[in-house]
Amino acid sequence: MRIPLVARALVVAVVVSAAAACGGSGGSGSSGATVTTTVTETATATGGSSSGASTTSEAPCAPSDFLSVLKATMDGSATDLTIVRVKVTRCRNGYAFVLAVPDNSQCQQGGSCFDSAQVLMAWDGTKWNILNTGTDIGCTSIPLSEQTLVACKALGYPVLTMASFRMPSRNIGCLLTGSTLRCDIRSGLEPPPARSCEGDWTAVTIAAKGAAKPLCVSDTVYDDSAPTLDYGSVWGGGGVTCLSAQSGLQCSSTPGHSFFLSRTGWAAG
């Protein structure tokens, strides 16, 4: 089963569901706000601080520093749920990404089974606070909230938040205007939409609200000087998140709309 995600800034509120068998899947949450925070990394061997989190004191990063916080919130929130240990995936600049490992010793004897929960945490200068938790909240699990994007960038994951970007293939370029992202593909939409177009079917657009759709245009937003969104990297802004991959560009909005764009095919909805 999955542990459902709860995303609330600096408020510890985790809901965990139990299931009769192990396994399952989950999702990630998001807030839909434009990312404007700039993170300056000042990582140390044991932690650090960031402009996106409090810099009152250096954040401790040992597993024991997180365990008591996770147990206080998660233990007993579902029948038989007890967190027994923590795996620290990354901790720096006042943020941490950890795994809360449950006790599944009774799982095979008819007890409840639980997946390890991914937990994103922030240091407020005196203690760790839970920002987000679930079983699929990694920094490439789109869409991502503004809060998660800022944290992922502070943690050193590849995150781009500038208004424009292009793919490494130099075939796709995108521009965010307000809360609307437009992405142009130089080779054109293939196959083109089955309706008349006085320009060219070379673009797809998506906004924070509303479905993604193809565009018939006579101009372009592709910019050769725009930063490159490397494969495996994430872009975020305006309530939209994009993931760059060799197979193409996948962009999603927080309400659940998305598009996929590549040289050989596209989809929008």
Side-chain angles (χ1 to χ4, degrees), residues 10 48-59 93-95 122-126:
L10 302 180
S49 61
S50 161
S51 59
S54 174
T55 58
T56 304
S57 63
E58 184 176 288
N93 294 326
Y95 290 98
W123 177 252
D124 67 6
T126 58

Side-chain angles (χ1 to χ4, degrees), residues 164-168 170 172-174 222-229:
S164 64
F165 65 91
R166 59 184 175 85
M167 294 280 285
R170 296 181 177 271
I172 297 174
C174 302
Y222 187 94
D223 182 359
D224 278 314
S225 64
T228 300
L229 185 65

Side-chain angles (χ1 to χ4, degrees), residues 101-117:
V101 182
D103 180 5
N104 278 327
S105 60
Q106 302 302 313
C107 177
Q108 302 303 321
Q109 286 73 46
S112 299
C113 302
F114 302 92
D115 290 333
S116 293

Side-chain angles (χ1 to χ4, degrees), residues 7-267:
R8 297 178 60 187
L10 302 180
V11 176
V12 179
V14 181
V15 178
V16 184
S17 299
C22 295
S25 59
S28 60
S30 49
S31 64
T34 303
V35 175
T36 55
T37 303
T38 300
V39 176
T40 302
E41 295 185 2
T42 55
T44 67
T46 58
S49 61
S50 161
S51 59
S54 174
T55 58
T56 304
S57 63
E58 184 176 288
C61 292
S64 58
D65 296 313
F66 303 101
L67 183 59
S68 60
V69 176
L70 298 177
K71 288 183 67 66
T73 302
M74 301 174 72
D75 281 6
S77 58
T79 304
D80 300 332
L81 176 62
T82 302
I83 301 302
V84 292
R85 61 193 178 95
V86 176
K87 295 181 179 179
V88 180
T89 302
R90 190 170 294 196
C91 183
R92 62 194 294 185
N93 294 326
Y95 290 98
F97 191 64
V98 305
L99 289 178
V101 182
D103 180 5
N104 278 327
S105 60
Q106 302 302 313
C107 177
Q108 302 303 321
Q109 286 73 46
S112 299
C113 302
F114 302 92
D115 290 333
S116 293
Q118 299 172 339
V119 186
L120 185 64
M121 307 185 76
W123 177 252
D124 67 6
T126 58
K127 64 183 184 302
W128 284 104
N129 298 276
I130 296 175
L131 297 181
N132 200 352
T133 184
T135 54
D136 188 17
I137 61 169
C139 290
T140 58
S141 300
I142 63 173
L144 298 175
S145 67
E146 173 192 10
Q147 182 183 80
T148 302
L149 283 165
V150 171
C152 288
K153 192 168 185 177
L155 286 167
Y157 290 99
V159 175
L160 186 65
T161 57
M162 300 181 70
S164 64
F165 65 91
R166 59 184 175 85
M167 294 280 285
S169 64
R170 296 181 177 271
N171 190 38
I172 297 174
C174 302
L175 176 66
L176 178 70
T177 304
S179 61
T180 300
L181 179 71
R182 171 180 160 182
C183 292
D184 290 6
I185 182 165
R186 287 173 154 179
S187 58
L189 298 180
E190 186 60 43
R195 59 180 185 269
S196 61
C197 171
E198 295 183 0
D200 296 299
W201 289 111
T202 56
V204 179
T205 186
I206 188 172
K209 297 180 180 180
K213 59 184 180 181
L215 290 180
C216 174
V217 296
S218 56
D219 61 348
T220 183
V221 298
Y222 187 94
D223 182 359
D224 278 314
S225 64
T228 300
L229 185 65
D230 294 329
Y231 297 135
S233 299
V234 167
W235 173 91
V240 178
T241 315
C242 296
L243 174 63
S244 172
Q246 289 186 334
S247 59
L249 180 68
Q250 178 79 40
C251 296
S252 301
S253 64
T254 51
H257 299 289
S258 65
F259 74 76
F260 174 76
L261 192 58
S262 74
R263 188 181 301 273
T264 58
W266 65 279

